[in-house]
C-alpha cells in the first residue's frame, strides 16, 4: 500500500468535484479499492501501486478535460475513466469552450476565413462592421493558443480614443483611468476563462491588457497579440505597433472602417496599413460584412442602412471606406 498526493493545477477543483462532491463520489465508486480523500486542490490517495498509477493517469485526463472545456459531467467522467472519447472530443471545428461549456466556433464563412488565416499566416487584419465577431473570435484563438501552450502570453491592446463623446477627467490610478477603454476585451476574456484563473493570469502578466501607447519600445515574442479598434490608430501608431512583432508571435489587427473616431481630417492608420501591406507575403486580410453579424438581427439591418447612406454621400477624409468592397485577401 502506498500513498500519493495529487495537486490539481490550472483548474477550479470545484468543477471536477461537482456540486456537493457529486462527481468525486462517482470517481470513488469507479475505484472502490482505493481510499480517496480530496481537500481543496489536493487529492490524497492510498492503495495498490499499479491501480494508483491508473488513477493518477485518469485524474490528469480529467484535469485536462476541465482545462480545455471549462466543464465536466458524469458522462464525461465515466467515458474518460473507461478509456472512451467524450462527446466534446468528437466535436468538430470548435476553437475553445466558454466558462459554461458552450463551444465557440465560426458561425459564418468569413469567420472561418479568419480561423484559416490564423493557422496559415502570422499577421491577420480582420476588418468588418460591429457584431461580426472579429474581436471575440480573435480572443478565442488567443485563449486556445495559451491553453495548448503554443504561446506563453496574450497581449491585448486598444487605442484610447473616445467614441464621439468627451469623457473628461477620469479619477483613480492609471489602471482605473484606462480600464473603461479596455472593458470589451475584459468582457470577452471573462466569457472564456474562470474569474479566479483570469485574475491570476493578469497578475502574473500571462495576459496583458494595455492601451496602444504602452506598446512603444517593446518586442513582443512567444505571444498572441491583438490590436482592437485599429481604425482609431494614426499612421505612426499602427506602424509602431506592427513593428513590435517578435519571434513565435501571431498578430491580429481588428477594426471597423465605418466607425473612425479620429479627429476630422486625420487618416486612419488601419486604412493606410491595409493599402500598403495588401501584397506583402505572410499577411492575411479578411473582410467581414453584414452577413457575418451574430448580434441581434436589428444590428444587421442598422449596418446595412448606414452602408447604403454612406454610398449616397462623398467619403470624408477620416479613412472611412464607402466602396462596399468585401473581398478576402491572403498573401
Amino acid at each position: 500500500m502506498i500513498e500519493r498526493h495529487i495537486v490539481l493545477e490550472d483548474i477550479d477543483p470545484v468543477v471536477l468535484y461537482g456540486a456537493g462532491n457529486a462527481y468525486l463520489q462517482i470517481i470513488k465508486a469507479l475505484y472502490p479499492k482505493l481510499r480517496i480523500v480530496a481537500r481543496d486542490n489536493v487529492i490524497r490517495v492510498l492503495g495498490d501501486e499499479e491501480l494508483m498509477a491508473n488513477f493518477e493517469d485518469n485524474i490528469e485526463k480529467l484535469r485536462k478535460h476541465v482545462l480545455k472545456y471549462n466543464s465536466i459531467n458524469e458522462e464525461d467522467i465515466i467515458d474518460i475513466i473507461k478509456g472512451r472519447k467524450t462527446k466534446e472530443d468528437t466535436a468538430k471545428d470548435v476553437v475553445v469552450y466558454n466558462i459554461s461549456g458552450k463551444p465557440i466556433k465560426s458561425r459564418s464563412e468569413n469567420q472561418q476565413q479568419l480561423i484559416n488565416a490564423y493557422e496559415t499566416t502570422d499577421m491577420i487584419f480582420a476588418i468588418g462592421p460591429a457584431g461580426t465577431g472579429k474581436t471575440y473570435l480573435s480572443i478565442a484563438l488567443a485563449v486556445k493558443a495559451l491553453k495548448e501552450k503554443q504561446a506563453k502570453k496574450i497581449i491585448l491592446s486598444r487605442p484610447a480614443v473616445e467614441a464621439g463623446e468627451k469623457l473628461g477627467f477620469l479619477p483613480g490610478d492609471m489602471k482605473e483611468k484606462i480600464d473603461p477603454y479596455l472593458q470589451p476585451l475584459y468582457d470577452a476574456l471573462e466569457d472564456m476563462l474562470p474569474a479566479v484563473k483570469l485574475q491570476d493570469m493578469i497578475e502574473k502578466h500571462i495576459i496583458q491588457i494595455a492601451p496602444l501607447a504602452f506598446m512603444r519600445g517593446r518586442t513582443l515574442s512567444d505571444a498572441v497579440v491583438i490590436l482592437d479598434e485599429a481604425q482609431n490608430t494614426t499612421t505612426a501608431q499602427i506602424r509602431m505597433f506592427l513593428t513590435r512583432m517578435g519571434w513565435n508571435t501571431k498578430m491580429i489587427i481588428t477594426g471597423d472602417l465605418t466607425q473612425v473616431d479620429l479627429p476630422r481630417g486625420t487618416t486612419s492608420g488601419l486604412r493606410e496599413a491595409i493599402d500598403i501591406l495588401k501584397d506583402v507575403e505572410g499577411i492575411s486580410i479578411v473582410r467581414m460584412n453584414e452577413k457575418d453579424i451574430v448580434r441581434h438581427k436589428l444590428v444587421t439591418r442598422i449596418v446595412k442602412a448606414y452602408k447604403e447612406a454612406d454610398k449616397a454621400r462623398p467619403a470624408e477624409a477620416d479613412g472611412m471606406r464607402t466602396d462596399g468592397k468585401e473581398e478576402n485577401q491572403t498573401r
Side-chain angles (χ1 to χ4, degrees):
M1 299 280 287
I2 61 172
E3 181 178 327
R4 294 275 174 80
H5 288 190
I6 303 171
V7 180
L8 298 173
E9 298 179 345
D10 301 330
I11 66 168
D12 182 355
V14 174
V15 178
L16 179 58
Y17 299 159
N21 285 339
Y23 298 158
L24 182 61
Q25 296 306 317
I26 294 170
I27 295 170
K28 288 181 178 182
L30 292 168
Y31 285 94
K33 294 183 180 180
L34 292 178
R35 186 183 176 198
I36 303 167
V37 179
R39 185 182 295 275
D40 296 328
N41 69 329
V42 178
I43 301 175
R44 178 173 168 265
V45 192
L46 186 67
D48 175 75
E49 185 172 0
E50 184 176 345
L51 191 56
M52 183 89 70
N54 176 267
F55 177 81
E56 286 184 295
D57 183 52
N58 281 325
I59 286 294
E60 176 61 14
K61 290 177 181 177
L62 292 172
R63 186 194 68 82
K64 287 182 177 179
H65 183 95
V66 173
L67 181 64
K68 183 175 183 178
Y69 302 117
N70 288 317
S71 67
I72 200 164
N73 58 41
E74 180 179 340
E75 185 180 349
D76 294 330
I77 292 170
I78 295 171
D79 283 342
I80 289 170
I81 293 179
K82 295 293 185 180
R84 301 190 294 255
K85 283 190 174 182
T86 65
K87 182 173 63 177
E88 291 86 355
D89 288 333
T90 58
K92 294 181 179 180
D93 303 322
V94 176
V95 179
V96 290
Y97 288 77
N98 70 10
I99 57 174
S100 6
K102 183 180 178 181
I104 298 171
K105 56 169 72 175
S106 65
R107 296 175 61 181
S108 70
E109 184 178 342
N110 287 327
Q111 285 192 1
Q112 186 60 47
Q113 181 80 8
L114 172 56
I115 294 172
N116 295 343
Y118 178 86
E119 293 173 351
T120 57
T121 53
D122 289 337
M123 183 177 290
I124 307 100
F125 288 85
I127 315 301
T132 51
K134 54 191 183 295
T135 300
Y136 189 81
L137 191 56
S138 296
I139 293 177
L141 289 166
V143 169
K144 179 184 180 183
L146 196 61
K147 287 189 172 187
E148 296 181 353
K149 301 190 184 303
Q150 296 171 355
K152 293 181 179 178
K153 55 183 178 267
I154 298 173
I155 300 171
L156 307 175
S157 186
R158 265 187 163 201
V161 175
E162 295 162 351
E165 13 179 4
K166 298 299 180 183
L167 301 180
F169 174 76
L170 292 173
D173 59 19
M174 180 60 72
K175 183 178 184 302
E176 291 171 329
K177 291 178 189 295
I178 63 177
D179 272 358
Y181 296 104
L182 307 174
Q183 191 58 48
L185 305 180
Y186 284 108
D187 291 343
L189 286 169
E190 287 168 356
D191 193 39
M192 299 176 205
L193 294 167
V196 174
K197 184 172 178 60
L198 174 58
Q199 186 58 39
D200 181 62
M201 286 181 163
I202 291 174
E203 289 174 359
K204 292 178 178 176
H205 302 292
I206 296 171
I207 294 178
Q208 303 172 26
I209 307 176
L212 180 58
F214 285 32
M215 296 296 108
R216 186 173 298 279
R218 301 183 64 183
T219 299
L220 309 174
S221 300
D222 298 311
V224 179
V225 187
I226 299 172
L227 175 60
D228 191 36
E229 299 288 348
Q231 76 276 3
N232 288 327
T233 61
T234 63
T235 297
Q237 285 176 326
I238 199 164
R239 183 174 181 177
M240 176 274 292
F241 175 82
L242 297 177
T243 54
R244 301 304 94 201
M245 191 172 190
W247 294 106
N248 190 37
T249 289
K250 295 268 190 180
M251 274 192 170
I252 307 176
I253 300 93
T254 70
D256 176 2
L257 289 168
T258 67
Q259 292 189 3
V260 178
D261 299 311
L262 294 169
R264 186 175 298 275
T266 302
T267 300
S268 168
L270 177 61
R271 170 74 270 158
E272 192 169 66
I274 292 171
D275 289 339
I276 292 172
L277 303 175
K278 61 186 177 184
D279 295 320
V280 175
E281 184 178 354
I283 294 178
S284 294
I285 300 174
V286 178
R287 296 189 187 277
M288 298 180 174
N289 55 47
E290 60 270 14
K291 294 179 182 179
D292 302 298
I293 292 174
V294 292
R295 292 181 184 169
H296 193 286
K297 60 185 179 182
L298 274 177
V299 176
T300 303
R301 297 171 190 168
I302 291 168
V303 169
K304 189 174 181 179
Y306 271 97
K307 186 176 179 180
E308 293 301 319
D310 285 341
K311 286 181 181 179
R313 60 173 177 253
E316 299 177 3
D318 60 1
M320 290 198 299
R321 188 186 189 96
T322 58
D323 57 12
K325 292 183 180 178
E326 300 290 353
E327 296 178 357
N328 290 317
Q329 303 175 27
T330 304
R331 293 286 183 268

